[in-house]
Amino acid sequence: MDRSLFSFIWKNSRKQQLYLLAVIVAAWPVGFLVLELPKAIIDRAIGGGGGGPPYSASLLGIEVPFFGDQITFLITLCFAFMGVVVVNNGLKYYINVYKGRLAERLLRRLRFDLFSHVLRFPMPHFKRTSQGELISMITGESEQVGAFTAGAYADPAFLGGQLLVAIGFILAQDWRLAVAALALYPIQIYIIPKLQKRVSALAKRRLRQVRHLSDHVGEAVSGISEVHTNDTAWLELSRFTDRLAKIYNIRYELFRRKYTIKFLNNFIDKLAPFIFYLIGGILVIQGNLTLGALVAVISAHKDMSAPWKELLNWYQQREDAKVKYEQIVTQFDPPGMLASGLQLDDAEDQGPFEGDVELSNVTLIDEDDVQRLSNVTFKMGLDRHFAVVGGGGSGKEELGQLLARLVFPSRGSIRIGGQDLTQLPQAVTGRRLAYVAASTPLQAGAVRDNLLYGLKHRPVRAVDYDDDGQRLWESDLAEAQLTGNAPFDYAADWVDYTAAGATNSEDVFGKLVEVMDVVDLSNDVYQMGLRGTIDPIQRPEIAESVLSARNALKDRLQEDAYRDLVELFDREKYNTNATVAENLLFGNPVGEGFDMSGLAENDYVLQVLDKVGLRDRLLDIGQQVAATMVEIFADLPPGHEFFEQYSFISSEDLPEFQALLARADRETLTGLSDEDRVKLLSLPFKIIPAQHRLGLIDDEIQGKLLEARQVFAEDLPASLKGAVEFFDADKYNAAASLQDNILFGKLAYGQAEASQSVGALITDTLDQLGLRGSVLAAGLEFNVGVGGSRLSTVQRQKLAIGRALLRNPDLLILNEATSVLDPATQSEFVSRVLAHRKGRAVIWMLNRPGLAEHFDRVIVMRDGRSTENGAFAELNSNGGVFADLLKSAA
């Protein structure tokens, strides 16, 4: 990256800067006319100094004659002035819009360059660099640099031009006034930069402290469990307070010095009018200057004030931007970065590697000058399975990183198929090698996207846009090329199906299921599918399959073994295993229009209840529920399991309802406040008659609720039409999970093991209909969350290994990738992966040496050296380092 901010700006926007300067220079005469025409109007048209008839006005040093009377002359000059003002403002508008667009382009280029550098950082650099700091610089600090870039050359020209025009105009009126106007500027030019230097130094300190603050927040968030388990909240808060104090002190000093500069500027700025009134007034009185000229000079000086202040602001912004840019460049240009060509250049497809993996005297010295590996030498066929074992600090982890080309050897060579690994571009290594570490963060998105992530190298199929979409894409592409961004369409199909042994997106599904079976992830994804939702418009085939399963399950539920386990939804019947709220809506809320916990204060719901005469009845029921709950649970300790199972009121809210009931006894329900009425009315909505058995939702109330259900659906306003996805036996419910869509009812309360029996029945039904694949397809759409946070650690590792297997790499490197699994599971897992990789190279850094029995050969690492290399049985019988490792692990 360019070390100089102005070098970066000039290199990437030279033509635009020159064009902008040309437009600014072209605007100078127009600005001069804006100042000159008012003088002509006062002196020539109004004051009669035009010499007419015929009249004339001096514009840009040229006498322009006018043939007509004085009023017409005045009107002409006034409209000319208005026209010049419109043109002048139009030019300013054009210049500012052009600058804004140019600034955004340069900011876009800067951010792209910074992010591309992050992708090329040497791996050890991430150990010393805070994630929060990088994010802050790319998003926040670069924004301030980008805002300055467009005006780096244009602003001094534009603002300086306005000053020159004003000074030139004043000079044309009287040289003494021009000298007076300029007299104070040298003082500002001398003082301000000296004061600004200290402000810039403080800005650098503030920036460093803000980054430290960001680091602290990031550490606290990632280590929040440690804060809780070690009772260090006050320690962290005090540390945070210390950071805030340092920033406060710096910013206070910064404000003092900034406002000192502003005070001086404002004071000096107000001295000039004093001089004009004094000297100019004397000249007018003496007849050496016209009144119109004095008015125009004062107006011109006022016009000088704004650009001068803006120039001083530009100077401050320049210093701030330089500080930020220099610090950003320093952070984003560490030594040892991967060459851009190795990461981004395409390479001719040479097919799979052939031959051996050969390490010759490989030595690795880390960033702290500690030797991690020393003269490691071995050869491995690309059809063999090697295990690498060793204790802590043995160097096996670093060996895996070297083979994956995540770090580079300090000495020695690594060759694969006769090619130097360090010289191969990622277009080769990223396709022919696969690496999985002990912990693998995932991309935010679907399971499917994460499994296919390793196949997305370049776009392989363009999007079939309509005419408008194509024009938009071509416009975006032109901007991307202009700003040095990626020239590829992110919306295109990036998946290299051929590498996975498939032909298209439908065909690759079988490959996904295959690798999920290998890594034992299929059942997890199946459950995700049952719990997940789909868009029936985007996935109509899955929606149709679910409806088929619903109908088949309905028939199965008529069998004697299952007859009483589920109460199906029926629009004409009240479901006693559902809440009052669920019975009323008879559907799933979409968005916040009908929050189930807030129906008691929903205006439309209250209108419906009033229409069928239920509001007061439910309020009475609410009072009875509250009284019952208070009576039953008042003496139970907080946290008792009965609160969760039977009570609608938490232990914390119980005293509040006791007080509410006391008020109700004194004032009657009609006298309660709106807030109290809402609290009572909210309780009946939670009642499930089959579970709570309070006898309050009797047949009459159920009938009224069925009537309210019908009114609710029929009178629903157009603005709320999409706020509820109603239950329909013949329609897929987009707001419900697949499992709930298939079940289309509620589990009967009190039936032993109903959940397990119905779950097994759903699975059996899906299998009989051959719909397991549809559920897996839905599970593949499950969003894993940021970094895979919605998955367990084991699931994340299985997914990462499945992703690597899907690529069919020539060499699979697993660096303690299954350390999170228990021993028995791990052994079976290793066997399945190796069976799947039969005839293709695997090198596995094992956390348990006993697992090495599954491999062709074993490499034993100790203190950064390869101390033993041979078959499992051979090394075990030799009584060496490997045998000791086995004994210690037993």
Side-chain angles (χ1 to χ4, degrees), residues 63-97:
E63 284 292 329
V64 180
F66 177 81
F67 300 94
D69 59 32
Q70 187 174 1
I71 292 178
T72 306
F73 182 44
L74 172 64
I75 293 172
T76 301
L77 288 181
C78 287
F79 274 97
F81 173 71
M82 182 55 61
V84 169
V85 167
V86 170
V87 172
N88 190 50
N89 287 335
L91 285 169
K92 287 181 179 179
Y93 170 80
Y94 177 79
I95 290 169
N96 286 325
V97 170

Side-chain angles (χ1 to χ4, degrees), residues 619-636 642-643 646-650 654 657-658 660-662 664-665 680 683-684 687 691-697:
L619 193 60
D620 288 337
I621 292 172
Q623 183 188 24
Q624 295 177 58
V625 170
T628 302
M629 295 299 107
V630 168
E631 180 182 353
I632 295 175
F633 297 102
D635 297 327
L636 291 180
F642 282 2
F643 276 106
Y646 302 109
S647 180
F648 308 126
I649 304 172
S650 68
L654 207 60
F657 274 93
Q658 287 176 316
L660 190 158
L661 290 171
D665 288 341
L680 288 179
L683 296 179
I687 295 177
Q691 177 182 348
H692 299 118
R693 303 183 184 279
L694 297 172
L696 298 174
I697 308 299

